[in-house]
Amino acid sequence: MMTLDKQWKRLAEIFSAKLVLEVFGGGGAIWGFSEAIGLRVPHTVWFWRPCALTFGAIFFVRWLMQIRDYMDDNNMEMEFAGMMGANANANANANDNDDEVSMKNQSYRTEKDKLLA
């Protein structure tokens, strides 16, 4: 199993490329195709700019959902303490006096494991 730092590095490698190719490419494809077939001319830019931005926004949301799925598949959690390193995460856990939060996290993982099985 990869260490947490390697997992975050791999996530950045994968999804930085996907951002350019899938998100910016999706919006750019609408923009470029509309020009290539002659629909986007100077007096119709007001229509095509929001169309390209809308498709870009849709693909951006899709990109965020792919990141979430990747993190779930690799058992990565989005914690600020976790991103600062194991030392900060240990300090955060040592200062955690709320047992209820720990119980909720544990039951969530159990529910998730049941669904995956």
Side-chain angles (χ1 to χ4, degrees), residues 72-91:
D72 286 345
D73 291 344
N74 291 290
N75 297 322
M76 298 172 67
E77 293 183 13
M78 185 64 172
E79 295 181 12
F80 293 109
M83 293 187 340
M84 290 186 284
N87 214 6
N89 195 16
N91 289 338

Side-chain angles (χ1 to χ4, degrees), residues 9-51:
K9 181 180 176 188
R10 184 67 182 142
L11 183 139
E13 290 171 349
I14 293 170
F15 289 99
S16 60
K18 285 182 174 266
L19 176 68
V20 172
L21 296 173
E22 296 179 10
V23 177
F24 300 151
I30 298 300
W31 186 256
F33 184 72
S34 64
E35 182 176 12
I37 63 172
L39 295 176
R40 187 171 57 87
V41 292
H43 66 278
T44 60
V45 170
W46 63 270
F47 174 78
W48 288 103
R49 184 170 288 134
C51 288

